[in-house]
């Protein structure tokens, strides 16, 4: 499958995930082994100290891993396992990225 078609397919699947729609996730790049998701930082995804909630970061990492890995497994992949360590600052920019 060519990368343009793969990206379009990935965007269609992302649109079927209610949580992805709710928090405004966008799929900007997709190829076997590579995925780039972007989220708009809005009040609805912040924790009490004004930083992006860790659950949102974990969601983005889980989706990015699955989207990047799925083409490598010919559609037979549900999810991948990961361990993450995150740090953040309020000045990190308007778009958190998961790759």
């Amino acid at each position: 499958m060519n990368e343009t078609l793969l990206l379009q397919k990935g965007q269609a699947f992302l649109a079927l995930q209610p949580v992805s729609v709710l928090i405004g996730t966008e799929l900007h790049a997709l190829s076997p082994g590579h995925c780039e998701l972007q989220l708009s930082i809005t009040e609805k995804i912040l924790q009490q100290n004004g930083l992006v909630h860790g659950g949102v970061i974990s969601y983005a990492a889980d989706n990015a891993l699955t989207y990047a890995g799925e083409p490598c497994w010919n559609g037979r992949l549900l999810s991948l396992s990961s361990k993450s360590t995150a740090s953040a600052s309020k000045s990190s920019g308007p778009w958190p990225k998961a790759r």
Side-chain angles (χ1 to χ4, degrees), residues 62 66-67 70 75-80:
D62 176 66
T66 302
Y67 274 82
E70 191 276 337
R76 296 186 309 257
L77 182 65
L78 176 60
S79 188
L80 294 170

Side-chain angles (χ1 to χ4, degrees), residues 20-61:
S20 297
V21 174
L22 176 70
I23 63 177
T25 307
E26 297 178 6
L27 180 59
H28 285 262
L30 182 61
S31 60
H34 176 81
C35 171
E36 186 173 315
L37 297 172
Q38 291 187 346
L39 308 165
S40 295
I41 297 178
T42 63
E43 296 260 333
K44 63 186 171 187
I45 66 168
L46 301 180
Q47 43 90 304
Q48 70 277 8
N49 295 314
L51 300 173
V52 176
H53 191 281
V56 174
I57 302 287
S58 295
Y59 146 84

